[in-house]
Amino acid sequence: RCPVSGEKLDIVTDAPAAVIKVKSPIAKLPLLETEEGCIAESNAIARYLVNKNPGCGLAGKTPLENAQVDSWVDFCSNELEVPASVWVYPIIGWMGYHAEACEKAKKDLKAAIMVLEAHLKHKTYIVGESITFADVALACALLLPFKIVLDEKTRK
């Protein structure tokens, strides 16, 4: 059961391509199967679950906060996860190393973290006064970089 929405979840993380294509027009995993239909991609699944239970507050407490949460989740996907992947994945063997791309990724990730640092200078949470999906997305986006490449020396 989902701790946010309370519904029974069936998240598909491995299935034959033919099965995935039938359930998802974009043929992507992960895939959430609900009674209403299927949802592909992790952020879409998370947005669905937090919006299914607005009382949990993870989507924000107002329409403005909800839009701000979406904005920061997109920031995590585009400005943090992309350069972090280009920098970290070659180190852990998930993709090939390309020196020029890796150097650009380092600069881009550091610039995005500076934006984040400035935003959080006088705040505890990304949006509003309590944890939201934006905070969760941020933690997920920065987990591998902080474990693998963003040591104390690099962060200075």
Side-chain angles (χ1 to χ4, degrees), residues 25 27-28 30 43 48 57 76 81 89 110-111 113 119 129 141 153:
K28 294 280 190 168
N43 284 340
Y48 168 81
C76 289
E81 290 177 13
Y89 286 7
K110 289 176 183 179
I113 289 173
H119 179 74
E129 300 300 321
K153 180 184 173 192

Side-chain angles (χ1 to χ4, degrees), residues 80 83-85 87-88 91-92 109-110 112-114 116-117 120 137-156:
L80 295 173
S85 298
W87 187 5
V88 172
I91 294 169
I92 59 178
L109 183 59
K110 289 176 183 179
I113 289 173
M114 296 300 290
L116 192 56
E117 288 278 343
L120 288 171
L138 174 65
C140 292
L142 291 176
L143 178 65
L144 280 179
F146 272 93
K147 284 179 80 171
I148 296 171
V149 294
L150 291 174
D151 58 16
E152 189 174 342
K153 180 184 173 192
T154 305
R155 292 193 307 262
K156 294 217 181 255

Side-chain angles (χ1 to χ4, degrees), residues 17-134:
V19 172
I20 296 167
K21 285 181 182 179
V22 169
K23 295 182 182 214
S24 170
I26 60 173
K28 294 280 190 168
L29 291 177
L31 179 68
L32 173 66
E33 297 182 61
T34 73
E35 293 175 3
E36 303 163 279
C38 294
I39 304 164
E41 299 286 357
S42 54
N43 284 340
I45 292 168
R47 283 183 170 120
Y48 168 81
L49 294 172
V50 298
N51 286 312
K52 192 98 162 122
N53 182 8
C56 74
L58 289 173
K61 291 184 169 60
T62 67
L64 175 64
E65 283 188 6
N66 183 274
Q68 290 172 334
V69 166
D70 283 348
S71 177
W72 282 105
V73 169
D74 290 346
F75 175 85
C76 289
S77 294
N78 299 315
E79 306 302 323
L80 295 173
E81 290 177 13
V82 171
S85 298
V86 172
W87 187 5
V88 172
Y89 286 7
I91 294 169
I92 59 178
W94 289 1
M95 67 185 260
Y97 175 76
H98 302 283
E100 189 176 313
C102 188
E103 287 307 310
K104 182 175 180 344
K106 289 177 185 181
K107 290 176 186 169
D108 291 348
L109 183 59
K110 289 176 183 179
I113 289 173
M114 296 300 290
V115 168
L116 192 56
E117 288 278 343
H119 179 74
L120 288 171
K121 187 171 186 168
H122 301 291
K123 298 175 182 261
T124 302
Y125 304 101
I126 301 291
V127 175
E129 300 300 321
S130 61
I131 193 168
T132 64
F133 174 45

